[in-house]
Amino acid sequence: MGCGSSSGIIVSDGVCDLSRLEGGVEVHHIEQASSQGARDLDLSKNKLAALPAGIHTIGTLTKLNCSENLINELPPELCDLVGLTFLDASDNKLKKLPDKLGSLAKLQNLLLFKNDLTTLPDSIGSLGNLKELNVFNNKIIRLPTTLASLGSLEELNAADNKLKTIPNLDALSNLTRLAIYNNNIVKMPDISGLGKLQKLEMYRNQLDTMPAIPVFPDLEEVNLSGNRFSEIPATFGSCGNMKVFEAAKNSLKQIPAEFGQLNNLWKLMLANNELVELPSSIFALQLRTLDLQSNQFTTVTDDFQKLKALNILLFSNNKLSSIPPFLCSSMPSLKRLSIDGNPIDWNDPSNKDQHIKLVQHFSASKEMRFVGAL
């Protein structure tokens, strides 16, 4: 319980905390919040089935948190709170939103994750000041085309829904994060206009082709894992600020040589593909984590010993028949190595010898780990 009690409330510096209110939130609490000019109202964690009557009368309100309740519908009169800049209705039972949601023209943050929404109102496109829209973990079947009007939007999280398509987002020139993972998306629209994009999360969908990818100068993280891609656009290799690239569980047969230009790349996750080799340009990078598990590699080439900064190398479940000696001697930063699940010829004395050396080497510290049983 914050500033409230079952009998009365106190608004301090415009903040009224009625979260976990003993005895529950009642109409007189709302009347007092209104009379005391509350600007920031917290109604979270009260097991509310609906917002308290009269909440729309708090004309001074700029921030409303009604998260972690049992609310199944936001009342239309909520849209009378035209001064709202922040609305958190996450973790409820919402099935629909008011049609006039777009009336909240000053809204900058709209958090609706963990609800039961199937659609968003078209009027959401009128929220011209919106910077963050989070509808993660709902049941949304389609996103309104009016999202293209949200020119101020910086973060869009529509992950973990039931989307099959995405509307044209090309006009969202201020977007820095696009999260649409864990849907059923089969086709992506043009995203070349997202010039400020920093994080692109598209994993666990049904995508087999990417739209044209321009050079995104600020792009730092990409996750395409769990799709059906057979190739990766080479232009990703020109996104010079890239730090993390993940494309596990696809059907990739090769990685573009242009990835060797990603001088800031430290994590490359490519497990569960059909790779037999990496381009030579990759071995000039300062990678720290490289996951190549469940591919088709038959050998760990000498080029791998050029990866002097590598901490983690995962090579399980490939087609390796031998263990190269440089894994102990020439990779000083290596802390974790896995080579289990390979058809290594243990009748070859050199493999047995290297295995003993690896076990001894990785037993030297509790921070080190080796997986590769005889």
Side-chain angles (χ1 to χ4, degrees):
M1 184 175 66
C3 63
S5 70
S6 59
S7 58
I9 65 169
I10 299 174
V11 175
S12 177
D13 294 326
V15 177
C16 180
D17 185 355
L18 299 179
S19 62
R20 294 193 182 97
L21 188 63
E22 183 179 351
V25 180
E26 299 179 2
V27 173
H28 70 89
H29 293 125
I30 302 302
E31 292 173 346
Q32 292 174 46
S34 180
S35 65
Q36 295 181 44
R39 297 190 303 273
D40 182 341
L41 177 61
D42 189 346
L43 299 174
S44 65
K45 303 172 184 175
N46 277 302
K47 299 182 180 180
L48 296 172
L51 284 177
I55 195 169
H56 64 289
T57 64
I58 312 178
T60 52
L61 212 56
T62 61
K63 184 175 181 180
L64 174 60
N65 182 357
C66 56
S67 64
E68 297 184 66
N69 281 292
L70 303 170
I71 301 169
N72 57 35
E73 186 174 356
L74 295 178
E77 55 267 26
L78 182 71
C79 300
D80 294 340
L81 296 173
V82 294
L84 277 185
T85 62
F86 179 97
L87 174 58
D88 185 354
S90 61
D91 206 351
N92 276 285
K93 303 292 183 182
L94 293 176
K95 297 183 182 301
K96 63 176 298 187
L97 298 172
D99 291 335
K100 295 183 179 180
L101 187 68
S103 300
L104 302 176
K106 294 184 179 180
L107 207 58
Q108 296 181 20
N109 304 86
L110 180 56
L111 309 181
L112 300 166
F113 57 89
K114 292 186 180 179
N115 278 289
D116 295 320
L117 298 170
T118 57
T119 60
L120 299 176
D122 288 341
S123 66
I124 201 168
S126 299
L127 302 177
N129 289 300
L130 198 65
K131 294 182 178 181
E132 178 185 12
L133 175 59
N134 191 333
V135 292
F136 165 78
N137 194 9
N138 276 275
K139 300 175 182 178
I140 298 173
I141 299 171
R142 71 168 187 89
L143 295 174
T145 57
T146 54
L147 284 185
S149 301
L150 301 178
S152 298
L153 199 64
E154 297 175 2
E155 179 170 338
L156 173 58
N157 187 344
D160 201 12
N161 278 282
K162 298 182 181 298
L163 300 171
K164 290 187 177 181
T165 59
I166 297 293
N168 187 353
L169 303 177
D170 202 36
L172 304 184
S173 57
N174 286 301
L175 203 68
T176 60
R177 183 192 179 201
L178 176 59
I180 52 174
Y181 58 87
N182 204 24
N183 279 286
N184 296 304
I185 301 169
V186 296
K187 186 177 181 180
M188 281 292 295
D190 182 14
I191 58 172
S192 59
L194 310 184
K196 295 183 180 180
L197 199 63
Q198 297 176 12
K199 194 170 185 178
L200 178 60
E201 299 162 85
M202 298 168 55
Y203 56 93
R204 292 202 296 270
N205 278 289
Q206 305 294 324
L207 294 163
D208 55 18
T209 57
M210 284 287 294
I213 298 295
V215 176
F216 290 125
D218 298 322
L219 191 60
E220 295 183 1
E221 296 184 33
V222 173
N223 194 333
L224 309 178
S225 298
N227 281 283
R228 300 174 179 176
F229 294 118
S230 58
E231 61 181 8
I232 296 172
T235 45
F236 272 130
S238 298
C239 300
N241 208 35
M242 186 87 72
K243 295 178 174 63
V244 176
F245 190 90
E246 303 187 42
K249 296 184 179 179
N250 280 286
S251 299
L252 301 176
K253 292 180 172 60
Q254 61 181 6
I255 302 301
E258 288 82 355
F259 270 47
Q261 302 170 20
L262 300 176
N263 293 324
N264 291 304
L265 190 69
W266 68 268
K267 185 176 184 179
L268 183 57
M269 309 295 282
L270 299 170
N272 293 90
N273 279 289
E274 300 171 20
L275 300 170
V276 297
E277 63 180 0
L278 295 178
S280 59
S281 57
I282 290 289
F283 300 104
L285 301 178
Q286 296 298 304
L287 291 176
R288 300 201 298 273
T289 298
L290 178 58
D291 187 354
L292 299 171
Q293 297 179 95
S294 299
N295 277 283
Q296 303 294 318
F297 287 85
T298 59
T299 182
V300 184
T301 63
D302 290 346
D303 282 333
F304 278 84
Q305 61 187 310
K306 298 176 183 177
L307 298 174
K308 301 298 185 184
L310 201 63
N311 298 144
I312 299 173
L313 176 59
L314 306 179
F315 243 120
S316 301
N317 301 312
N318 275 274
K319 296 184 176 181
L320 306 180
S321 59
S322 62
I323 304 175
F326 61 76
L327 290 176
C328 279
S329 61
S330 301
M331 303 187 76
S333 300
L334 202 58
K335 297 287 192 298
R336 181 182 172 192
L337 171 67
S338 71
I339 58 171
D340 57 308
N342 281 285
I344 294 173
D345 181 7
W346 297 116
N347 292 318
D348 184 337
S350 63
N351 284 331
K352 288 185 177 181
D353 181 56
Q354 291 304 320
H355 184 271
I356 292 171
K357 290 180 179 179
L358 285 171
V359 171
Q360 293 174 341
H361 177 74
F362 283 90
S363 298
S365 170
K366 292 182 179 180
E367 297 178 355
M368 301 173 74
R369 182 183 177 192
F370 169 59
V371 180
L374 284 169

